Amino acid sequence: MNRKYRKTVIAGNWKMNKTPSETKEFMNAFKSIMPKGRWCDVALCVPAVCIPVAVRTMRETRVGIGAENVNANPSGAYTGEIAANMLVDAGCKYVIIGHSERRAMGETDADVNAKVLAALEAGLIPIMCCGETLEQREAGITAEWIAMQIKSGLQGVSEEKIRKVIIAYEPIWAIGTGKTATPEQAEQVCEGIRTVVRKLYSSKNARAISILYGGSMNEKNAYELLAQPDIDGGLIGGASLVPEKFVKIIEAANQPTL
């Protein structure tokens, strides 16, 4: 982490877990044990039906609520989809875009790009995901694959808006598997992402953008991962569903800057 230039962000991704009633219970428990320090930003991205109760329950806290997906179109005949302005009106601050689980359902780099642009236009902070499969890592093409995803996802994003984007590196082979990239592996890729942003925009913008790690980060490995200079936070899956575990990750993010 490097707090001198950029924000540290710990974001929870609940995926398809918890009902609205369970969300309220979680938020109340989480509020009671939240760390008092303000060193990092905290986000909880929850299922769409849970957004209203999450926003209401956390209204007087510094926790931002986010969505797990968004449609790139402003409105129209898209049954079951949710537009960016709807999320904003519901109280969302963040939205996860391009998660590998969405990509596995057919979401393309072009879809991700359109959603990033729509989110920025509406005033949301996109958490844009990228990551490689185990086969791609073993083939030695991780850097090229990630660079392609970053370049595609940020197509058309202006220099004025790039700092509002958060990038999350999530190696697909480490999501929900219990496997985690070593701190050195995660740092190498996150440093590479920053290099891509530097080439697309500028050194100043590259220093300012927050890059998260999102492959099975938990309360046990967070401190070591977050100690890396180019890892500015985490996109947390399973551990974000348990208040006590999520708090320990936030505490790890509040470690002294190295």
Side-chain angles (χ1 to χ4, degrees):
M1 297 180 292
N2 190 327
R3 294 193 185 91
K4 181 179 179 181
Y5 295 111
R6 49 192 176 263
K7 291 181 178 179
T8 302
V9 182
I10 300 297
N13 174 19
W14 280 9
K15 308 189 180 186
M16 196 174 72
N17 290 292
K18 295 194 184 295
T19 64
S21 297
E22 291 169 336
T23 298
K24 185 176 182 180
E25 183 180 349
F26 172 97
M27 297 298 176
N28 283 326
F30 178 52
K31 277 198 298 188
S32 70
I33 59 173
M34 271 180 60
K36 302 302 180 186
R38 298 182 62 86
W39 291 4
C40 75
D41 288 359
V42 179
L44 280 165
C45 298
V46 303
V49 295
C50 300
I51 289 170
V53 67
V55 170
R56 284 197 304 273
T57 311
M58 303 305 284
R59 181 167 286 127
E60 295 180 1
T61 73
R62 59 188 175 87
V63 176
I65 301 302
E68 299 175 8
N69 188 30
V70 66
N71 190 279
N73 297 285
S75 62
Y78 304 101
T79 301
E81 294 293 310
I82 300 175
N85 66 333
M86 296 176 182
L87 295 178
V88 171
D89 196 52
C92 282
K93 181 178 179 181
Y94 301 88
V95 60
I96 297 171
I97 296 174
H99 191 281
S100 63
E101 290 160 3
R102 298 295 311 177
R103 292 178 189 262
M105 297 176 197
E107 193 163 282
T108 66
D109 286 334
D111 293 330
V112 170
N113 178 235
K115 292 181 179 187
V116 167
L117 295 173
L120 289 170
E121 182 66 24
L124 289 166
I125 298 172
I127 302 174
M128 188 184 80
C129 301
C130 60
E132 85 282 16
T133 63
L134 183 59
E135 291 74 19
Q136 288 162 342
R137 172 164 281 275
E138 291 177 342
I141 60 170
T142 294
E144 293 86 349
W145 183 261
I146 299 295
M148 180 191 68
Q149 289 184 317
I150 299 299
K151 290 175 182 177
S152 299
L154 296 180
Q155 188 75 29
V157 175
S158 67
E159 186 143 349
E160 293 72 34
K161 290 189 175 181
I162 183 58
R163 295 192 190 196
K164 297 179 181 177
V165 177
I166 295 172
I167 297 175
Y169 167 55
E170 39 150 32
I172 296 170
W173 49 272
I175 298 171
T177 63
K179 296 179 181 178
T180 311
T182 65
E184 293 75 22
Q185 287 174 323
E187 165 62 20
Q188 183 180 34
V189 176
C190 290
E191 183 183 17
I193 291 170
R194 205 174 302 282
T195 299
V196 174
V197 175
R198 184 180 301 115
K199 291 178 179 178
L200 290 175
Y201 295 94
S202 68
S203 295
K204 191 174 182 180
N205 282 314
R207 280 197 305 267
I209 195 168
S210 297
I211 300 174
L212 316 184
Y213 174 74
S216 295
M217 184 185 284
N218 56 47
E219 73 282 5
K220 297 176 182 177
N221 59 29
Y223 191 97
E224 194 173 3
L225 285 163
L226 292 168
Q228 303 304 309
D230 288 288
I231 298 178
D232 306 308
L235 182 58
I236 315 300
S240 71
L241 295 167
V242 182
E244 294 78 11
K245 291 183 178 181
F246 196 50
V247 161
K248 286 183 179 179
I249 297 172
I250 295 168
E251 289 172 344
N254 285 348
Q255 63 183 279
T257 304
L258 300 180

